[in-house]
């Protein structure tokens, strides 16, 4: 009973926060956006509330966190009610407004695709609910903190092994001692609500994330002008990717969380560009981007890329051209300096230990290029890599005329450049040697890649040359 109440509070808080930012929904598409985003935002918000309210007591997360969650929900419900007149219904996209009800054949396609998605989802749920944490990196990296805190009853600090072995204080250690702890706080809340440490029950958020991501993908696609058929097929394409399914069935990793939050942040920002008067959308976009830092270490990189692209999108055309030339020139210069003067640079950076990278030794590590080949070499992403090559060629004229697709493509380009710089020019390349790790990094951009393809395939007034 308490476990169900916890989930009710999480979903209600998330939907209230999204409604306060977006306005009260008045159409099916808006409700789908609210439900999908609300589920993900609610889990993020619940974890933050628990982390801030529990103090040193890790066994009473419900008692400490639930009153704050309901109080915050009451405040944001009042805000949403005050902004009800400015609902998104006043700015519905052309495709959503003019389509009316879908035609018969469109309904058949939608029902068929939903059935296919259900066929993927049901065995994933069975696997998640019947299996404890699979003994892979997620078991050692992400589940050890909440389990130790819950069973121990208090928040022991996790430190590096050298400090742990020499300290007289009550401390704990793990190779992942530096990792952010937002997901751990959420799992503490669910474990306390269930009454015991039951791993399938604390991994339910991964199934909720999966459903929320698909609802948000469909809703955002329709809000941004995609047809019903393209939007629902794109959702199936996302749901059927083998590695995504594996990360739901063998829950515990946070890479799909990063990908979902990036997608929602970019979606809210693109909608705010259409409706600058709706500042709640901008607040939502920034809050989601900031939460990336609380999920994984590489979240800081994505936050910087999101901010850079967001600022660039608000500049005038002249400044945008100048900034692109400056960024490209700086990038080429830095790469040449590392390739030519890496020995001289490393002498001056000697001893600098960067979390997640190790001792900084700049140079050329070709193993990092497996980030790109991961899209084509294995079956983890089906035909996504080939689609990313062909669709921009076929829809090149649309890309040249579509500002939203250009900005989303710029984010993807900047993201790939950041990953390649990190894994081709620093010792982090050792992580790229593992195909599992490489594909997990690719996963963080996959939802945004799918949305970019959706934007390119939107109806256009330009004549087709294909």
């Amino acid at each position: 009973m308490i476990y169900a109440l916890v989930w009710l509070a999480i979903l209600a808080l998330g939907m209230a926060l999204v409604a306060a930012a977006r306005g009260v929904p008045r159409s099916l598409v808006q409700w789908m956006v609210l439900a999908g985003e609300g589920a993900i935002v609610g889990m993020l918000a619940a974890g933050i509330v628990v982390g801030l309210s529990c103090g040193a007591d890790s066994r009473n997360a419900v008692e400490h966190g639930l009153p704050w969650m309901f109080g915050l929900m009451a405040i944001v419900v009042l805000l949403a009610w005050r902004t009800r007149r400015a609902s998104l219904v006043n700015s519905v996209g052309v495709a959503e407004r003019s389509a009316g009800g879908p035609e018969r054949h469109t309904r058949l396609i939608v029902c068929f695709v939903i059935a296919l998605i259900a066929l993927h989802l049901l065995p994933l749920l069975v696997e998640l609910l019947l299996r404890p944490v699979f003994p892979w990196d997620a078991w050692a990296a992400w589940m050890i903190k909440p389990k130790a805190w819950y069973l121990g009853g208090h928040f022991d600090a996790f430190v590096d092994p050298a400090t742990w072995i020499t300290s007289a204080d009550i401390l704990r250690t793990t190779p992942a001692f530096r990792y952010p702890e937002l997901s751990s706080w959420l799992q503490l809340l669910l474990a306390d609500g269930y009454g015991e440490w039951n791993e399938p029950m604390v991994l339910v958020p991964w199934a909720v994330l999966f459903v929320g991501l698909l609802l948000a993908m469909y809703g955002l696609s329709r809000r941004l002008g995609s047809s019903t058929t393209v939007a629902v097929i794109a959702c199936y394409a996302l749901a059927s990717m083998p590695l995504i399914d594996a990360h739901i069935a063998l829950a515990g990793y946070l890479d799909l969380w990063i990908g979902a939050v990036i997608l929602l942040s970019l979606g809210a920002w693109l909608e705010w560009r259409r409706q600058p008067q709706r500042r709640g959308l901008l607040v939502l976009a920034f809050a989601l981007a900031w939460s990336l830092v609380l999920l994984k270490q590489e979240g800081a990189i994505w936050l910087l890329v999101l901010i850079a692209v967001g600022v660039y999108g608000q500049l005038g055309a002249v400044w945008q051209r100048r900034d692109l030339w400056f960024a490209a020139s700086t990038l080429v210069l830095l790469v040449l300096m590392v390739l030519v003067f890496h020995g001289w640079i490393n002498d001056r950076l000697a001893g600098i230990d960067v979390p997640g990278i190790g001792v900084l030794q700049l140079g050329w590590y070709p193993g990092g290029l497996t980030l790109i080949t991961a899209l084509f070499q294995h079956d983890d992403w089906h035909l996504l890599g080939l689609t990313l090559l062909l669709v921009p060629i076929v829809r090149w004229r649309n890309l040249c005329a579509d500002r939203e697709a250009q900005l989303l493509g710029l984010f993807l380009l900047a993201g790939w450049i950041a990953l390649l710089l990190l894994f081709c020019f620093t010792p982090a390349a050792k992580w790229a040697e593992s195909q599992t790790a490489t594909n997990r990094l690719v996963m963080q951009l996959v939802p945004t890649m799918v949305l970019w393809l959706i934007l390119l395939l939107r109806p256009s007034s330009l004549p087709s040359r294909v």
Side-chain angles (χ1 to χ4, degrees):
M1 182 64 181
I2 301 298
Y3 186 78
L5 179 63
V6 168
W7 270 114
L8 177 64
I10 290 173
L11 298 177
L13 174 60
M15 294 179 71
L17 287 168
V18 174
R22 289 184 167 276
V24 179
R26 298 182 184 179
S27 72
L28 177 60
V29 169
Q30 292 173 22
W31 275 109
M32 294 184 76
V33 175
L34 180 67
E37 284 192 351
I40 298 173
V41 170
M43 291 188 291
L44 297 174
I48 293 173
V49 169
V50 169
L52 293 175
S53 63
C54 280
D57 183 8
S58 62
R59 287 296 294 271
N60 295 290
V62 171
E63 177 184 341
H64 294 297
L66 231 56
W68 286 100
M69 290 171 63
F70 281 116
L72 179 60
M73 182 180 63
I75 294 173
V76 295
V77 164
L78 291 176
L79 290 175
W81 182 256
R82 288 188 61 184
T83 60
R84 67 192 184 279
R85 295 181 180 274
S87 175
L88 293 179
V89 74
N90 296 324
S91 56
V92 176
V94 174
E96 183 183 342
R97 180 172 56 240
S98 61
E103 298 178 1
R104 180 179 178 83
H105 71 278
T106 304
R107 290 195 184 98
L108 291 175
I109 293 174
V110 170
C111 292
F112 177 69
V113 173
I114 290 175
L116 289 178
I117 292 175
L119 287 176
H120 279 274
L121 178 60
L122 291 177
L124 299 182
L125 289 176
V126 171
E127 185 80 6
L128 184 148
L129 294 174
L130 293 181
R131 184 197 293 273
V133 178
F134 193 74
W136 61 344
D137 285 357
W139 176 78
W142 297 107
M143 298 296 293
I144 192 169
K145 285 186 179 181
K147 186 173 183 178
W149 287 336
Y150 181 78
L151 297 179
H154 45 84
F155 285 97
D156 296 329
F158 279 80
V159 297
D160 63 278
T163 302
W164 172 77
I165 202 169
T166 58
S167 175
D169 298 327
I170 300 177
L171 300 173
R172 297 183 184 273
T173 189
T174 172
F177 68 93
R178 286 194 180 104
Y179 284 15
E181 297 167 351
L182 175 55
S183 64
S184 301
W185 300 333
L186 175 62
Q187 289 169 330
L188 275 179
L189 177 65
L190 295 175
D192 189 38
Y194 193 74
E196 64 179 10
W197 181 261
N198 184 296
E199 289 182 354
M201 290 298 101
V202 302
L203 292 175
V204 168
W206 273 256
V208 176
L209 173 77
F210 184 72
V211 175
L213 174 60
L214 297 181
L215 288 174
M217 176 67 77
Y218 177 83
L220 288 173
S221 302
R222 297 284 289 117
R223 291 283 307 131
L224 294 172
S226 173
S227 67
T228 301
T229 303
V230 170
V232 75
I233 291 176
C235 289
Y236 173 71
L238 192 62
S240 65
M241 291 184 185
L243 194 59
I244 289 180
D245 290 352
H247 273 242
I248 303 303
L250 306 177
Y253 266 121
L254 296 183
D255 300 278
L256 189 57
W257 286 78
I258 293 288
V261 173
I262 289 175
L263 173 76
L264 298 187
S265 179
L266 286 168
W269 176 64
L270 289 177
E271 290 194 56
W272 171 77
R273 284 178 54 83
R274 292 185 169 194
Q275 317 162 60
Q277 74 280 7
R278 298 302 310 275
R279 296 176 183 174
L281 289 168
L282 184 60
V283 173
L284 177 63
F286 181 77
L288 286 164
W290 173 75
S291 70
L292 292 168
V293 180
L294 302 178
L295 286 170
K296 291 198 73 176
Q297 288 179 320
E298 56 264 39
I301 296 175
W302 298 127
L303 173 61
L304 293 176
V305 175
L306 285 168
I307 291 175
V309 174
V311 171
Y312 173 84
Q314 300 309 117
L315 298 175
V318 174
W319 280 103
Q320 287 182 347
R321 287 194 295 270
R322 290 177 179 175
D323 284 354
L324 278 180
W325 279 108
F326 176 76
S329 303
T330 303
L331 177 64
V332 172
L333 180 62
L334 288 175
V335 169
L336 290 176
M337 286 181 61
V338 170
L339 293 176
V340 178
F341 301 107
H342 62 272
W344 180 82
I345 296 174
N346 288 331
D347 289 341
R348 281 146 184 81
L349 297 178
I352 296 180
D353 188 6
V354 181
I357 296 178
V359 177
L360 195 60
Q361 292 289 330
L362 300 180
W364 170 242
Y365 302 88
L369 294 176
T370 56
L371 282 169
I372 296 178
T373 59
L375 274 173
F376 304 93
Q377 191 174 359
H378 308 291
D379 297 330
D380 296 313
W381 308 117
H382 285 326
L383 298 176
L384 179 62
L386 182 62
T387 307
L388 287 168
L389 291 178
L390 294 181
V391 171
I393 295 174
V394 173
R395 306 285 285 185
W396 178 254
R397 298 182 67 199
N398 299 71
L399 177 60
C400 293
D402 189 334
R403 189 59 182 156
E404 292 176 343
Q406 291 171 9
L407 290 173
L408 206 59
L410 179 63
F411 169 80
L412 289 172
L413 178 62
W416 275 105
I417 289 174
L419 288 178
L420 290 173
L421 287 176
L422 182 63
F423 288 93
C424 288
F425 293 94
T426 75
K430 63 185 179 183
W431 299 108
E433 296 173 2
S434 166
Q435 295 176 351
T436 302
T438 301
N439 279 288
R440 283 195 282 113
L441 288 167
V442 172
M443 183 188 296
Q444 297 179 11
L445 289 174
V446 164
T448 304
M449 294 178 195
V450 174
L451 182 63
W452 185 57
L453 293 174
I454 291 173
L455 295 186
L456 292 178
L457 294 172
R458 287 184 296 187
S460 172
S461 59
L462 294 175
S464 175
R465 291 186 176 179
V466 180

